[in-house]
C-alpha cells in the first residue's frame, strides 16, 4: 500500500509523533532553527502538539468516539447534519442582514457561554429525563436499564472531574507561578506549570466531541434517551440565551422565528428519530428500550 499522507493520517485519527511530523514536513533541520528564531510564536504550537496528541489518546480511551449510538440510523444522522448546517447558514444570514457591530461582538460571548453552561445543564437534566423514562418503562425492563446506567454515570463523573480540573489547575498555576516571577528561569518554570492546564483543556475539548454525540453513552440505557435529552436541552439553552443575550436582531417576525426555529427544528428531528426507532427498530418508550 502507498504511504499515507499527513492529511490522511490526521483525518483517520492516527496522529503521528512530533518528530515524525517534523521529518515529513518539507522543511530541513537548519531551516527549522531559522524559522523558530525569526517566528518564535510558532514554538508554542510545536510544544503544544505532543500535549494535544497525548490528551486526545486518553480522551478517546475514556470516551470512545465510535460507540456513540446503540442504534445507528444513517438517515437520521444525515438529517441532523443538514439541520445543523441550515441553522448555521440562517443565523449567519440574519446577522449579516440585520446585525450590528455589537451583535457580531456578542457571538464569541454566546459561544463561550454555551460551552460553559452545557455540561452543567447535562448534569442537571440527564437525571430528570432518566427518572421520567424509568417511570414510564415497564417494571420488567427497569433492572436491565439500571445495570446499563452505571457506565454512563462513570463517564459523566470522569467528564465533570476533568471539566472542573481545568479552572482549578489554572488557579494553582497562577498561585504557584507568582513565586517564580523574580527568578531567571521564571518564565520557563511558569511554562512548565502551564503544561498540565493545557493538557487538561485539550482532554476536555476532545472528550466533549464524543460527549455531545453520546450524551455520556446514555443510548446504552435506552436507545431513545439521547434524542429525549437533546430535545429538552435545546429549549433550556434557548431560555438561557434569551435571558443573557436578549432577542436576535431583525424585525419582530424574524426575531421570533430565529428564537423558536432552532429549538423547534431540533425537537422535530429528535421526535422523528424516536418515531423511526419505534417503527423500524421496535424501540418504544413504554416497551422495549433497545433492540
Amino acid at each position: 500500500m502507498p504511504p499515507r499522507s499527513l492529511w490522511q493520517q490526521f483525518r483517520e485519527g492516527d496522529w503521528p509523533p512530533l518528530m515524525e511530523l517534523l521529518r515529513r514536513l518539507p522543511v530541513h533541520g537548519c531551516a527549522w532553527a531559522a524559522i523558530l528564531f525569526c517566528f518564535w510564536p510558532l514554538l508554542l504550537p510545536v510544544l503544544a502538539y505532543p500535549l494535544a496528541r497525548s490528551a486526545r489518546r486518553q480522551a478517546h480511551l475514556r470516551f470512545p468516539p465510535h460507540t456513540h449510538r446503540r442504534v445507528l440510523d444513517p438517515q437520521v444522522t444525515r438529517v441532523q447534519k443538514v439541520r445543523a448546517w441550515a441553522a448555521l447558514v440562517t443565523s449567519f444570514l440574519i446577522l449579516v442582514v440585520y446585525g450590528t457591530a455589537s451583535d457580531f461582538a456578542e457571538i464569541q460571548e454566546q459561544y463561550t457561554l454555551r460551552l460553559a453552561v452545557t455540561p452543567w445543564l447535562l448534569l442537571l437534566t440527564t437525571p430528570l429525563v432518566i427518572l421520567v423514562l424509568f417511570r414510564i418503562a415497564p417494571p420488567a425492563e427497569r433492572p436491565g436499564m439500571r445495570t446499563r446506567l452505571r457506565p454512563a454515570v462513570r463517564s459523566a463523573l470522569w467528564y465533570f472531574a476533568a471539566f472542573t480540573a481545568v479552572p482549578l489547575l489554572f488557579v494553582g498555576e497562577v498561585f504557584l507561578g507568582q513565586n517564580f516571577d523574580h527568578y531567571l528561569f521564571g518564565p520557563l518554570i511558569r511554562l512548565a506549570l502551564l503544561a498540565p492546564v493545557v493538557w487538561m483543556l485539550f482532554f476536555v475539548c476532545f472528550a466533549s466531541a464524543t460527549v455531545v454525540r453520546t450524551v455520556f453513552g446514555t443510548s446504552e440505557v435506552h436507545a431513545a434517551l439521547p434524542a429525549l435529552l437533546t430535545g429538552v436541552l435545546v429549549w433550556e439553552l434557548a431560555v438561557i440565551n434569551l435571558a443573557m443575550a436578549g432577542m436576535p436582531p431583525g424585525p419582530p417576525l424574524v426575531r421570533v422565528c430565529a428564537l423558536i426555529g432552532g429549538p423547534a427544528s431540533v425537537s422535530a428531528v429528535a421526535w422523528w428519530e424516536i418515531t423511526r426507532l419505534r417503527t423500524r427498530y421496535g424501540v418504544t418508550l413504554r416497551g422495549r428500550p433497545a433492540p
Side-chain angles (χ1 to χ4, degrees), residues 183-261:
Y183 289 87
L184 178 62
F185 298 101
L188 295 179
I189 296 175
R190 297 207 65 166
L191 188 63
L193 292 175
L194 191 62
V197 183
V198 176
W199 188 94
M200 190 61 68
L201 184 61
F202 279 130
F203 180 89
V204 171
C205 291
F206 288 120
S208 299
T210 301
V211 166
V212 169
R213 294 195 307 268
T214 65
V215 196
F216 305 112
T218 50
S219 62
E220 293 295 325
V221 181
H222 197 290
L225 191 51
L228 290 173
L229 284 171
T230 302
V232 175
L233 184 65
V234 70
W235 287 103
E236 294 175 341
L237 287 173
V239 172
I240 292 176
N241 192 49
L242 177 63
M244 299 297 295
M247 293 287 291
L253 181 60
V254 174
R255 291 185 175 188
V256 173
C257 292
L259 178 65
I260 302 179

Side-chain angles (χ1 to χ4, degrees), residues 257-278:
C257 292
L259 178 65
I260 302 179
S265 61
V266 172
S267 299
V269 173
W271 184 252
W272 177 65
E273 180 182 357
I274 294 174
T275 303
R276 285 181 63 88
L277 286 174
R278 184 181 68 250

Side-chain angles (χ1 to χ4, degrees), residues 89-172:
V89 171
T90 303
S91 301
F92 178 75
L93 291 177
I94 291 175
L95 282 175
V96 170
V97 176
Y98 301 108
T100 61
S102 60
D103 294 324
F104 282 93
E106 290 178 356
I107 294 177
Q108 183 64 35
E109 297 179 4
Q110 295 177 11
Y111 180 73
T112 305
L113 177 66
R114 284 176 176 252
L115 288 179
V117 169
T118 301
W120 302 107
L121 281 181
L122 278 175
L123 180 64
L124 297 175
T125 305
T126 303
L128 298 178
V129 176
I130 291 177
L131 180 61
V132 173
L133 195 60
F134 266 78
R135 294 291 297 176
I136 65 177
E141 299 289 350
R142 294 174 186 174
M145 294 173 61
R146 194 176 295 110
T147 301
R148 294 190 297 269
L149 180 62
R150 294 169 187 169
V153 173
R154 287 195 297 267
S155 177
L157 292 177
W158 269 107
Y159 180 79
F160 284 104
F163 190 84
T164 309
V166 173
L168 294 179
L169 288 174
F170 181 75
V171 171

